[in-house]
Amino acid sequence: TMLGIGERTGNPPLEALVFSYLQLRGHRAGLDTSVITEIGRYFEDNLKVKIPGNQPFVGADFNMTRAGIHADGLLKNEEIYNAIDTQKLLNRPVSIALSDKSGLSGILLWIKTHIGRGVELSKNDPGIAKINKWITRQYAHGRSSSISDREMLRLVKRYMGKWIKESGFDL
C-alpha cells in the first residue's frame, strides 16, 4: 500500500515501513528515501489522487509549523523540532504557514526555506520587522487565512530589496 491507500485492511503504508526499517537499522542502508516525495507527486499529478495535507511523509503540510516559537527552535536547532531531516531524507525542507502567530522567527524561517537555507540574516533585520508589522495589521483587520508564498515574495521584494541585491538573489 502506498500513501495509506489500502490501510483499512490492515496494511501499513509502505513509506512508513521504510522509515520504521531505517530506524531499526540506524542507517539508510543505501535507500534513496527522496523517491517517496516523487511517488507522492506522481500520485497527485498523474493518478489524480488527492493526498491529505497532514499525510505523513507526503502531505503538503506534514512538516509544516505555524507557530513562531517552533520556527525559532527550528532556526536554532532543527533536530529538536524535526524528528527526521526532511530535507536530506525526502528532499523537502521544513515549511511554515505564516500568520500573526509566526512572528519574526517565522518570517526568517520562511525566507531561509524559500530563498536560501544558508542566508546570513537575523530576525532583527529591519525588513523582517516591516514584514511582521504588515502581517500583524492584516490580522488586526480580520484576516483569517495564512499569508501566501506569493504575498511573501512581494513583501520580501518590497521591504528587503537592498538585502536581496547585496545577497545576489534573483527574485
Side-chain angles (χ1 to χ4, degrees), residues 9-157:
T9 62
N11 300 318
L14 290 176
E15 64 276 12
L17 284 176
V18 167
F19 280 97
S20 293
Y21 173 78
L22 294 180
Q23 284 182 307
L24 291 171
R25 299 273 305 190
H27 58 83
R28 288 173 65 180
L31 295 175
D32 179 5
T33 51
S34 68
V35 81
I36 291 170
T37 300
E38 294 173 32
I39 290 169
R41 286 189 194 122
Y42 181 84
F43 267 64
E44 285 202 320
D45 297 342
N46 296 78
L47 303 178
K48 305 302 180 204
V49 172
K50 176 66 179 135
I51 299 172
N54 63 351
Q55 178 78 28
F57 308 115
V58 292
D61 302 337
F62 99 95
N63 64 339
M64 177 182 283
T65 186
R66 288 174 168 78
I69 193 164
H70 292 166
D72 196 57
L74 284 161
L75 289 166
K76 291 175 181 167
N77 185 352
E78 184 174 325
E79 198 173 307
I80 291 173
Y81 284 91
N82 196 13
I84 63 171
D85 186 339
T86 57
Q87 177 63 49
K88 180 179 174 183
L89 296 173
L90 294 166
N91 197 24
R92 293 183 63 183
V94 172
S95 60
I96 182 158
L98 292 173
S99 72
D100 58 333
K101 308 296 186 271
S102 304
L104 302 171
S105 294
I107 295 165
L108 178 58
L109 179 64
W110 187 94
I111 291 170
K112 286 183 175 249
T113 301
H114 288 80
I115 297 174
R117 288 186 75 72
V119 299
E120 291 300 321
L121 190 61
S122 162
K123 67 181 180 180
N124 299 320
D125 183 273
I128 290 178
K130 289 175 184 175
I131 292 170
N132 189 50
K133 186 175 180 179
W134 183 92
I135 290 171
T136 302
R137 276 195 314 265
Q138 293 290 305
Y139 289 91
H141 290 98
R143 182 176 183 146
S144 60
S145 61
S146 297
I147 306 299
S148 72
D149 290 346
R150 181 177 290 183
E151 287 175 295
M152 273 303 293
L153 280 172
R154 192 178 76 241
L155 291 168
V156 169
K157 286 178 186 178

